[in-house]
Amino acid sequence: ILYFPKIKNNIDINRYKIQLYCNQVFVTDSVEGIVPDFLMLLQGVIDSPDIPLNVSRSYLQSDSNVKKISGYITKKVSERLQEIFNSDRKQFEEKWDDLKIFIEYGMLSDEKFYERAQKFVLLKDTEDKYYTLDEYKKLIEGNQTDKDGQLVYLYATDKEAQYSYIDTAVSRGYDVLLMNGQLDPHFIGMLEQKLEKSRFVRVDSDLIDKLIKKSDTTSNTALDEQQRDMMTSVFKSQIPAMEKSDFLVMFEPVGATAQPIVITQNEFMRRMKDMAAMGGSGMQFYGQLPDNFNVVINGNHPLVAEILGEVEASYGDKLKTTNKKLDAAIAEQRSFEELVKDKKAEDFSQEEKDKQQEVDKKVEDLRRQRTERLTEIGRENKLVKQVVDLALLSNSMLKGENLTNFIRRSVELIGK
């Protein structure tokens, strides 16, 4: 008689919760090595006439009859779960959130159990609908297959915190799984190995059009290279400093109706850090790294164009002069690089070394001057601060004083 206890916050191997009996005579409650690891999460009793009495646990572990019992228990558990799934799927779905950790643990640790469980293991989406692996593949393969023929499983780990990303995906006709269990990071990795031409990506790890890329064609951004360079300094000025967090500003031609700014986090690095947080072997290095976020500016959004206009107006005529000087300095730098492209640095003449230092310093000084002024302008621009804070807010990253200031600024803007 075995049953699945509820496990809420963390995985705890329930030692001494399964008792072995021989014809109703107690033998031991120390069943490590006798009962498979994933079934150690179960509780109850096992009574068998084939279990020897009054012997050590090491003897039990090597006893052929006990080994047969171990395999038999695994088989019976999987058969019983399959039986419940087949006879009363509604009940099975209602209990899934409690059963999930046991089944995932078993599939991760026992190949034979995986083969049996893949028929009844369930995936739950953000609309609380349940699917078997085969059912879900049929659901999404028509719409969520990318240009390379990869089936893309979108998932979220927090339905509330990642709502805006989920909403964007759903508006495109995509389905999003909810993978918020303790073992889901490992379970996702296993499914990527088991399922042919399939990959899992968290819905906030990139722009939705790049998560499921349908073609190689890309739209053009309304901003040229020089404008993007300028606006990088402007937006960086309003990104708050956060402990162990780095932000990279980039530009994408998302479209005029999309958000002006979206914050994403690379799937691979975030997954490695999640593994490290769970104590994954060899993952400690990733746990020491800062969280890296991409601040993706929609170069085709009207608000971004408005901000560019305000920045250029604030800078005044001096901006054109500075940009001309910088363009000329960059052209001189490239001309010199072309001139010496076949030489190694150590083979430069003294004149060439002096020239390289001169042109590099000129470019560096002009860039620094422009960056400093653009940073000042960005810090004074309330619209820049507002759209940055909106992106942080949608990513649940705006808190404390910054959140209070955002609310006050929003009231002021509404009042105008």
Side-chain angles (χ1 to χ4, degrees):
I1 300 174
L2 298 172
Y3 66 93
F4 297 93
K6 285 190 176 183
I7 295 179
K8 291 297 182 183
N9 297 320
N10 51 31
I11 301 171
D12 177 28
I13 300 295
N14 291 293
R15 300 181 187 280
Y16 314 118
K17 296 298 183 180
I18 296 179
Q19 298 179 336
L20 294 183
Y21 287 79
C22 175
N23 292 325
Q24 301 183 29
V25 177
F26 176 73
V27 177
T28 183
D29 57 7
S30 182
V31 295
E32 299 95 325
I34 301 170
V35 173
D37 283 346
F38 75 95
L39 292 180
M40 292 285 289
L41 292 170
L42 273 65
Q43 298 181 16
V45 297
I46 300 169
D47 193 339
S48 169
D50 298 320
I51 297 176
L53 294 169
N54 301 321
V55 293
S56 66
R57 184 162 62 89
S58 60
Y59 180 87
L60 281 174
Q61 290 173 349
S62 61
D63 185 83
S64 60
N65 286 325
V66 173
K67 288 182 178 179
K68 290 179 182 177
I69 292 171
S70 175
Y72 179 77
I73 293 168
T74 303
K75 181 173 180 289
K76 292 301 290 185
V77 167
S78 59
E79 287 178 351
R80 179 58 180 151
L81 289 169
Q82 183 71 63
E83 182 184 330
I84 296 171
F85 175 80
N86 292 339
S87 63
D88 194 344
R89 177 159 175 170
K90 183 180 178 182
Q91 180 196 19
F92 191 84
E93 290 180 358
E94 288 172 353
K95 297 184 182 299
W96 174 252
D97 289 344
D98 294 322
L99 294 173
K100 175 180 174 179
I101 190 171
F102 300 99
I103 295 174
E104 287 187 351
Y105 190 10
M107 294 177 75
L108 284 162
S109 59
D110 189 312
E111 184 65 28
K112 289 184 178 179
F113 186 80
Y114 173 88
E115 292 172 2
R116 298 186 180 107
Q118 62 181 322
K119 297 178 182 178
F120 57 77
V121 65
L122 296 180
L123 299 175
K124 177 182 176 181
D125 70 10
T126 53
E127 296 182 358
D128 295 333
K129 295 178 181 177
Y130 295 88
Y131 305 89
T132 64
L133 294 176
D134 285 342
E135 289 170 349
Y136 197 72
K137 179 182 178 182
K138 291 176 183 176
L139 175 74
I140 66 172
E141 63 185 350
N143 197 29
Q144 291 180 213
T145 301
D146 67 13
K147 66 181 183 64
D148 298 317
Q150 287 268 324
L151 189 59
V152 182
Y153 292 73
L154 298 175
Y155 72 94
T157 55
D158 188 321
K159 194 159 59 171
E160 297 300 322
Q162 295 154 14
Y163 177 81
S164 63
Y165 300 91
I166 297 170
D167 184 62
T168 299
V170 171
S171 70
R172 299 292 185 90
Y174 300 144
D175 194 82
V176 182
L177 294 170
L178 185 61
M179 306 294 283
N180 60 351
Q182 298 102 311
L183 292 177
D184 278 338
H186 298 284
F187 189 65
I188 286 170
M190 180 191 67
L191 289 180
E192 285 179 324
Q193 295 178 16
K194 297 286 188 181
L195 303 179
E196 185 179 356
K197 297 193 73 174
S198 299
R199 61 187 175 92
F200 284 69
V201 288
R202 207 167 83 174
V203 73
D204 61 346
S205 61
D206 209 334
L207 300 176
I208 191 64
D209 289 336
K210 296 182 76 175
L211 290 178
I212 307 178
K213 199 169 184 179
K214 297 294 187 177
S215 69
D216 289 320
T217 58
T218 57
S219 303
N220 294 321
T221 178
L223 305 179
D224 61 30
E225 183 179 354
Q226 189 178 82
Q227 290 170 330
R228 293 196 298 271
D229 190 30
M230 289 169 47
M231 294 292 273
T232 296
S233 300
V234 170
F235 282 103
K236 273 186 176 180
S237 71
Q238 292 288 13
I239 298 173
M242 296 185 185
E243 187 178 357
K244 292 194 71 175
S245 295
D246 290 336
F247 293 87
L248 175 65
V249 175
M250 59 178 58
F251 293 82
E252 292 285 351
V254 186
T257 58
Q259 295 296 321
I261 304 180
V262 176
I263 296 176
T264 64
Q265 189 176 20
N266 178 269
E267 172 74 15
F268 173 79
M269 288 302 297
R270 181 199 48 74
R271 201 185 290 192
M272 293 302 101
K273 287 180 70 67
D274 287 347
M275 294 285 194
M278 293 181 66
S281 177
M283 296 291 179
Q284 292 82 357
F285 167 75
Y286 292 100
Q288 302 301 316
L289 296 176
D291 291 318
N292 290 290
F293 299 95
N294 295 324
V295 181
V296 185
I297 313 297
N298 179 1
N300 293 340
H301 197 281
L303 280 177
V304 175
E306 183 179 342
I307 290 170
L308 176 61
E310 291 181 0
V311 169
E312 291 175 336
S314 297
Y315 209 130
D317 292 338
K318 193 176 180 180
L319 175 62
K320 292 181 180 179
T321 303
T322 302
N323 282 339
K324 284 182 180 178
K325 289 181 179 178
L326 181 57
D327 287 343
I330 291 172
E332 186 179 3
Q333 186 183 51
R334 289 173 179 169
S335 177
F336 174 78
E337 290 171 352
E338 180 65 23
L339 188 66
V340 298
K341 65 179 181 180
D342 296 325
K343 282 188 175 183
K344 295 180 180 180
E346 57 265 27
D347 296 331
F348 284 5
S349 67
Q350 187 59 47
E351 183 181 356
E352 289 170 333
K353 291 178 181 178
D354 293 342
K355 182 64 175 177
Q356 183 183 42
Q357 290 180 357
E358 178 188 340
V359 295
D360 288 351
K361 187 175 187 305
K362 190 185 296 185
V363 171
E364 182 183 343
D365 288 346
L366 287 168
R367 282 191 185 278
R368 178 180 50 76
Q369 292 171 20
R370 191 179 69 174
T371 298
E372 288 175 354
R373 180 61 186 133
L374 289 169
T375 300
E376 290 175 4
I377 293 170
R379 286 174 179 165
E380 295 168 359
N381 192 302
K382 289 186 177 181
L383 184 54
V384 175
K385 183 62 174 171
Q386 193 71 3
V387 293
V388 169
D389 281 356
L390 281 169
L392 292 167
L393 185 66
S394 68
N395 212 41
S396 301
M397 298 173 70
L398 194 65
K399 299 175 182 178
E401 183 180 357
N402 289 327
L403 178 57
T404 300
N405 291 337
F406 168 77
I407 294 170
R408 288 173 180 166
R409 192 184 326 110
S410 298
V411 173
E412 289 176 12
L413 291 171
I414 292 171
K416 293 180 180 179

